[in-house]
Amino acid sequence: MIDTDGKIELAGLTSEELKEFVLSLGESAFRSKQISAWIKQGAQIDEMTNLSKSLREKLAKASYVHGVEITRSIVSKLDGTEKYLYTLRDGNIIEGVRMRYHYGDTLCVSTQVGCRMGCRFCASTLEGCVRNLTAGEILGQLLAVNRHIQKLEGESAHIHNIVLMGSGEPLDNYDEVIRFLRLVNAPEGMNISLRNISLSTCGIVPKLYSLADEQLPVTLSISMHAPNDAIRKQLMPIANAYTVDEVLKACRYYIDKTGRRVIFEYALVKGVNCSEADADELSSRLRGLQCHVNVIPLNSVQERDLSGPDEETIKAFIKRLEIRHISATRRREMGDDIQGACGQLRRSYLKEADV
Ligand code: SAH
């Protein structure tokens, strides 16, 4: 990507593109390997000490590594979950979260500044979408966090898994998200397996088909949140564009193409989508589909008039799915003390800063 000041974002380049860029500066191709190794470590240009000073100056004039800087981090006392606020090169703020699981650390990354999908329960979308993130900025979140945790916890600390579940709708920023997936998966890059990456989407149907055809078998998570169109329309404007049937048909295609099961996210919203009849309807809809349902009690958002149901309703809903042979679990709520839900931390920061 070329920024407004004409500089190239190195983290967003493939190894081939980086080589071309280095050649265009009149340098030999092998320098690109050295630069690439530094990028992987999250270093900035002035730290690339095996390059001559004059090359570093030349590089800095024409490029930067990535424009993502951790501005604030907050660690949950409950479970070690860590939230980050990042400042981008143009001053925009995004947020992310690192979750500690027994199978490794997972980083939740944002794909846009804000979001334009308008889901009624989500804080990320309250002010619409400011802009798309570049692939380098999505990768930059990972590079910045790896660096941050390595400084604090030692060289071996690093992110194992990535979920594209932060602010933004990944399939509304399709090209940059696909580029990011290829970069993060590249053996000469971060080399993170696609099986360790989940992409969560509200279900932009044509893009689901495109994704299935990319041969990037990431775990697909669909934010379903309803058993039928009428209820889904109450919660998610995207339901006016695509029916539940159309979403499910695209999921079937994804499963056929990738051999991977699909995850359905289902946030329980009191009085809207959590009756036993809703669970029954969802079960019949999903019957025969290779899938799993992640049930999430709604995280209340201050600006929204919606809340989660009581414990009994949550348990009954999951039980009802299980009785009907739909695999379902309750998603662990993490970082409750540090505003774990989407977009909440960024919003409170922006309010505090009055921007
Ligand atoms: N735009 C993408 C990814 C971002 S949201 C998507 O729609 O999937 C990540 C997940 O968190 C989605 O399943 C979203 O519906 C859910 N979510 C958003 N706000 C929430 C809240 N207040 N409580 C529970 N889940 C929420």
Side-chain angles (χ1 to χ4, degrees):
M1 168 226 175
I2 299 184
D3 212 338
T4 41
D5 58 6
K7 287 192 179 182
I8 288 187
E9 185 181 43
L10 300 177
L13 302 181
T14 62
S15 57
E16 247 341 278
E17 289 165 343
L18 183 64
K19 198 158 91 187
E20 266 171 46
F21 172 66
V22 168
L23 289 173
S24 78
L25 294 179
E27 296 287 333
S28 64
F30 99 98
R31 294 280 174 218
S32 72
K33 289 223 162 68
Q34 293 175 310
I35 297 170
S36 169
W38 283 113
I39 296 173
K40 235 162 90 172
Q41 288 176 40
Q44 296 301 332
I45 291 171
D46 57 359
E47 297 168 87
M48 299 182 178
T49 46
N50 58 356
L51 306 180
S52 69
K53 191 151 180 274
S54 69
L55 173 53
R56 274 182 272 155
E57 279 167 9
K58 207 165 11 167
L59 270 180
K61 240 185 214 159
S63 65
Y64 59 97
V65 178
H66 63 78
V68 184
E69 219 174 278
I70 296 179
T71 299
R72 188 186 280 188
S73 72
I74 311 172
V75 183
S76 162
K77 290 190 183 67
L78 300 174
D79 51 32
T81 299
E82 188 166 15
K83 279 222 91 164
Y84 307 102
L85 276 178
Y86 311 94
T87 305
L88 304 178
R89 226 162 154 257
D90 63 0
N92 270 305
I93 303 280
I94 53 169
E95 67 180 87
V97 50
R98 167 204 189 196
M99 292 156 288
R100 324 285 306 265
Y101 294 112
H102 62 90
Y103 52 82
D105 285 9
T106 298
L107 185 69
C108 176
V109 298
S110 293
T111 54
Q112 295 177 316
V113 180
C115 182
R116 61 184 184 127
M117 293 298 119
C119 297
R120 280 199 52 215
F121 44 80
C122 183
S124 299
T125 197
L126 287 163
E127 266 122 37
C129 179
V130 178
R131 70 167 174 87
N132 283 332
L133 296 185
T134 62
E137 285 172 325
I138 307 174
L139 189 67
Q141 297 166 56
L142 175 70
L143 295 172
V145 168
N146 268 344
R147 189 133 222 246
H148 174 81
I149 61 182
Q150 276 157 12
K151 268 191 191 148
L152 294 173
E153 297 160 25
E155 286 295 301
S156 63
H158 69 281
I159 297 296
H160 287 79
N161 313 289
I162 298 171
V163 294
L164 286 84
M165 288 192 185
S167 295
E169 167 49 49
L171 299 187
D172 190 36
N173 183 16
Y174 189 83
D175 293 346
E176 292 301 309
V177 164
I178 296 297
R179 175 177 268 270
F180 160 74
L181 292 175
R182 296 197 196 286
L183 286 172
V184 81
N185 178 235
E188 69 281 10
M190 300 309 285
N191 201 13
I192 294 187
S193 160
L194 295 167
R195 295 188 162 264
N196 295 3
I197 302 179
S198 292
L199 183 151
S200 179
T201 172
C202 62
I204 302 177
V205 169
K207 296 286 160 73
L208 287 175
Y209 286 101
S210 312
L211 181 66
D213 290 336
E214 296 282 354
Q215 295 197 306
L216 291 168
V218 294
T219 303
L220 178 64
S221 280
I222 301 283
S223 298
M224 185 52 81
H225 306 322
N228 58 46
D229 295 324
I231 296 179
R232 202 160 190 256
K233 281 180 191 174
Q234 287 178 44
L235 296 170
M236 306 172 73
I238 193 73
N240 295 304
Y242 307 108
T243 62
V244 170
D245 275 345
E246 287 168 328
V247 173
L248 293 179
K249 198 170 159 205
C251 289
R252 230 166 257 127
Y253 184 78
Y254 192 85
I255 295 165
D256 285 348
K257 274 273 169 167
T258 62
R260 312 232 38 211
R261 71 174 184 174
V262 168
I263 309 289
F264 292 102
E265 307 283 338
Y266 198 104
L268 293 174
V269 187
K270 192 171 162 186
V272 178
N273 64 358
C274 34
S275 70
E276 296 203 340
D278 294 332
D280 289 348
E281 192 177 357
L282 182 68
S283 309
S284 9
R285 278 285 187 36
L286 300 185
R287 182 153 307 128
L289 206 66
Q290 219 181 308
C291 69
H292 178 81
V293 181
N294 248 337
V295 177
I296 319 153
L298 190 85
N299 228 316
S300 306
V301 174
Q302 210 186 348
E303 290 82 354
R304 303 298 208 190
D305 53 348
L306 304 169
S307 58
D310 53 35
E311 276 301 308
E312 219 173 294
T313 309
I314 300 168
K315 287 194 179 118
F317 193 90
I318 295 175
K319 189 130 189 245
R320 201 83 186 175
L321 294 180
E322 283 169 346
I323 289 171
R324 295 178 163 255
H325 307 293
I326 300 294
S327 131
T329 42
R330 175 179 184 160
R331 193 164 78 184
R332 244 169 82 201
E333 289 130 274
M334 298 182 84
D336 248 7
D337 54 333
I338 53 164
Q339 296 177 300
C342 299
Q344 286 184 19
L345 185 63
R346 170 172 177 263
R347 262 191 82 70
S348 59
Y349 178 82
L350 293 180
K351 266 196 201 154
E352 211 178 279
D354 200 22
V355 285

